[in-house]
Amino acid sequence: ASDVYKRQQKKMKNNQKGATMLEAIATISVVTVLAIASIRLIGNLFDMFKQNTVANEIREIQKNITSRFALEGNYETLKGDAEYLQKERLVPNQMIANKKIYHRLGGKVTIATDSTNNLHYQVTFDSLNNRGCLNLAQINWVINQGTDLVAIQVNAKKFEQPVGNLTAGENTLPLTMEKAAKVCNNKNDNTITWTFQ
């Protein structure tokens, strides 16, 4: 009887070892899945932070330039070089590197007087990913029922404020999600140019 009891005890211990191994594998699997989900969540949160930062960058540039040139009434003396823009405090310092201007998503920023009208200036953000393009294209520029935004060009498509004989239509602002989705491509080479007055 004693031998039978010892064999049963040994068999139970072996079964417990197998169950423990399966439990360990299951625990490792669960931890791995949770780690992957956490990494994705952190990546998405970081991407949302960068998207918000880029939107804040264009808003700050617009506000600074408009305020700086309000008394002059035009943008004839606006220069696009980084040193001038930094000296005049028109562009946040963190956007300037190697005497060039970059937005938070890594693309170049260009600022210049509109070549056809010195009462307007343009800000261009290059190398935007699809999400960045969609977010920036749909920024609401209306403040107190007015706006300084004259037009926005997303890649090759230009959208303008419906003023005078230009009536609301497919090529007019505001840019809806549907319109933005048609003109923002899925690559990381979207370009947006805002024209402000």
Side-chain angles (χ1 to χ4, degrees), residues 8 12 40 44 48 62 73 83 96 100 109-110 112 114 143 145 156 162 184:
Q8 287 177 341
M12 280 178 46
R40 285 186 182 157
N44 286 339
M48 285 174 31
Q62 184 271 333
E83 287 181 44
I96 298 174
K100 293 184 180 170
V109 176
T110 308
D114 185 343
I143 299 171
Q145 299 179 350
C184 291

Side-chain angles (χ1 to χ4, degrees), residues 95-156:
M95 293 180 70
I96 298 174
N98 299 323
K99 298 185 180 183
K100 293 184 180 170
I101 308 165
Y102 298 94
H103 57 74
R104 180 66 179 205
L105 297 174
K108 270 181 75 176
V109 176
T110 308
I111 299 170
T113 302
D114 185 343
S115 60
T116 60
N117 185 346
N118 69 9
L119 298 176
H120 299 161
Y121 66 94
Q122 296 180 324
V123 180
T124 302
F125 279 30
D126 288 334
S127 304
L128 294 165
N129 60 25
N130 181 261
R131 184 182 287 179
C133 181
L134 291 171
N135 289 341
L136 293 175
Q138 296 178 80
I139 292 176
N140 182 2
W141 292 98
V142 177
I143 299 171
N144 297 328
Q145 299 179 350
T147 184
D148 289 336
L149 183 66
V150 175
I152 181 173
Q153 182 170 327
V154 181
N155 296 320

Side-chain angles (χ1 to χ4, degrees), residues 1-9:
S2 152
D3 287 341
V4 173
Y5 177 75
K6 286 181 183 178
R7 280 187 287 212
Q8 287 177 341
Q9 289 295 325

Side-chain angles (χ1 to χ4, degrees), residues 53-69 75 78-79 85 88-96 101-104 107-112 121-125 141 148 194 196:
T53 302
V54 172
N56 289 335
E57 288 172 345
I58 182 59
R59 286 181 189 276
E60 189 171 348
I61 290 170
Q62 184 271 333
K63 180 185 71 156
N64 293 345
I65 292 174
T66 300
S67 296
R68 161 65 177 80
F69 289 92
Y75 301 98
L78 176 64
K79 299 176 194 168
L85 294 166
E88 293 289 325
R89 297 183 181 176
L90 301 176
V91 174
N93 286 333
Q94 66 269 20
M95 293 180 70
I96 298 174
I101 308 165
Y102 298 94
H103 57 74
R104 180 66 179 205
K108 270 181 75 176
V109 176
T110 308
I111 299 170
Y121 66 94
Q122 296 180 324
V123 180
T124 302
F125 279 30
W141 292 98
D148 289 336
W194 295 268
F196 297 103

